Amino acid sequence: MRIACPFCGARDSGEFTYLGDASPKRPDAPIDGGVAVEDQFYDYVYLRDNVAGLTREYWYHGGGCRSWLIAERSTTTHEFKSVTAAPGAGAAKAKQAGER
Amino acid sequence: MPDFVWSSQSPLKKALVPGRHGAGKGAPGVALSHVSDIALVQVMARRGRNADVAKAAKKLFGAEPPAALKISSGKVVTLVWSGPDQFLAFSELPQTAPSIEQQEQAFSGSASLSNQSDGRCLIRISGPNARDALAKMTSLDLHDSVFPVGSAATTSIDHTAVNFWREADDASGNPAYVALVFTSFSDTLWHLFVESSLEYGVEVAASGTGH
Ligand SMILES: [Zn+2]
């Protein structure tokens, strides 16, 4: 299987490692926000959809350019529909990963 | 009097055996060499400072930072793409590249520098069968139409991170490639290069002589 890194081009999947679901967004909540915020963080940390079809997931090109990537992959066919740089990859981008 | 004196030695001291190895008696299919005296600095642009890095590189090295998957050449220094917004500044000694201090000054505030001169081992592999030997261990497509002279890649060879690029063809018009390997992994990869080349006949140069 090959994965098309937006920086390096198509490479053997062995150069990449999988992190997980790229869909959850870290709750933007006050530090001591009470039970409601705890619930939001519980969802963010633990709850994942078990999708049959297209998912958005983080991949790391550790055996190549060492960039974090976001891939759209089908869990039923393993087809990669798109692979793009994660927010903050490369210094040219104005924002770091995780910044809004 | 110090208790201990560090003496530097080649990481390929045991592995590299000069001379002809493997098949055939005619011209060797592959030429292998280790270039021991190199100056190598990793340059990583700081966030939003790409334009300043480009300007400083042009002034210091006489070359713009390389485009993605390419190298760019100054008078003495070759700049090798190593990922988005970063490159390696490489030169062979005794050619006089700007010193690390000069580089630190030129990129002050715009890039982070890391001296890798003793951290990496530079191996050259060339010849009419160099591509055949490399095909056994890399997933890169090295066909002329995809990886012409001046191409660069960061990739994994035998699960080991390698900076890889293609130099000008050798004197006989055969392709010539460079692999930059972490020093501590170079013994393993050197054996792999030699073993993969045996069926074509391989000429190993004495360490430090290049080709
Ligand atoms: Zn990559």
Side-chain angles (χ1 to χ4, degrees):
Chain A
M1 194 166 75
R2 300 215 289 173
I3 299 173
C5 172
F7 299 110
C8 301
R11 291 293 177 81
D12 185 81
S13 63
E15 291 191 1
F16 299 82
T17 42
Y18 169 82
L19 176 76
D21 197 337
S23 302
K25 291 270 178 292
R26 186 184 168 86
D28 189 10
I31 291 170
D32 189 10
V35 175
V37 170
E38 276 183 27
D39 286 348
Q40 288 175 33
F41 266 99
Y42 181 87
D43 288 0
Y44 169 68
V45 174
Y46 294 112
L47 297 190
R48 295 291 180 270
D49 294 330
N50 188 14
V51 177
L54 265 195
T55 56
R56 288 178 82 243
E57 42 197 30
Y58 284 116
W59 286 77
Y60 179 59
H61 195 189
C65 66
R66 300 183 191 128
S67 295
W68 281 100
L69 310 170
I70 293 178
E72 280 187 302
R73 183 179 66 94
S74 167
T75 57
T76 53
T77 64
H78 293 307
E79 181 200 359
F80 282 78
K81 283 214 89 153
S82 73
V83 186
T84 52
K93 298 272 176 60
K95 286 181 179 173
Q96 297 204 27
E99 282 183 359
R100 271 162 241 265
Chain B
M1 180 79 185
D3 294 334
F4 188 83
V5 179
W6 295 101
S7 62
S8 64
Q9 65 175 47
S10 164
L12 299 177
K13 197 177 173 192
K14 286 185 190 149
L16 191 151
V17 181
R20 178 66 184 260
H21 304 276
K25 287 191 163 61
V30 177
L32 266 179
S33 61
H34 166 224
V35 182
S36 54
D37 278 338
I38 61 170
L40 185 73
V41 176
Q42 171 83 61
V43 181
M44 303 175 85
R46 297 201 181 148
R47 196 157 293 281
R49 301 296 298 273
N50 279 31
D52 300 324
V53 171
K55 218 157 87 190
K58 180 96 190 157
K59 197 170 160 203
L60 188 67
F61 301 125
E64 297 260 4
L69 305 173
K70 296 286 172 201
I71 63 173
S72 61
S73 302
K75 270 201 204 97
V76 174
V77 177
T78 301
L79 307 182
V80 184
W81 183 85
S82 65
D85 310 311
Q86 54 172 280
F87 58 86
L88 292 158
F90 157 74
S91 63
E92 281 178 53
L93 303 177
Q95 287 183 300
T96 46
S99 68
I100 182 76
E101 288 79 15
Q102 285 171 302
Q103 295 188 38
E104 274 169 4
Q105 209 157 35
F107 292 108
S108 171
S110 66
S112 299
L113 271 54
S114 168
N115 189 348
Q116 295 293 323
S117 301
D118 293 319
R120 308 288 180 93
C121 174
L122 190 144
I123 297 169
R124 280 208 167 98
I125 178 164
S126 62
N129 294 110
R131 199 147 49 200
D132 303 316
L134 285 164
K136 298 176 187 178
M137 46 187 150
T138 178
S139 61
L140 292 177
D141 186 347
L142 296 180
H143 191 272
D144 281 334
S145 63
V146 181
F147 207 83
V149 171
S151 300
T154 55
T155 186
S156 295
I157 292 180
D158 198 33
H159 307 282
T160 305
V162 173
N163 291 95
F164 190 83
W165 69 94
R166 183 171 174 185
E167 298 184 316
D169 292 347
D170 70 13
S172 313
N174 296 308
Y177 303 93
V178 174
L180 259 183
V181 184
F182 289 116
T183 298
S184 51
F185 287 94
S186 59
D187 183 281
T188 303
L189 282 194
W190 178 268
H191 282 296
L192 182 68
F193 287 171
V194 173
E195 293 287 326
S196 302
S197 304
L198 287 179
E199 67 168 300
Y200 315 110
V202 53
E203 183 71 32
V204 174
S207 189
T209 56
H211 67 85

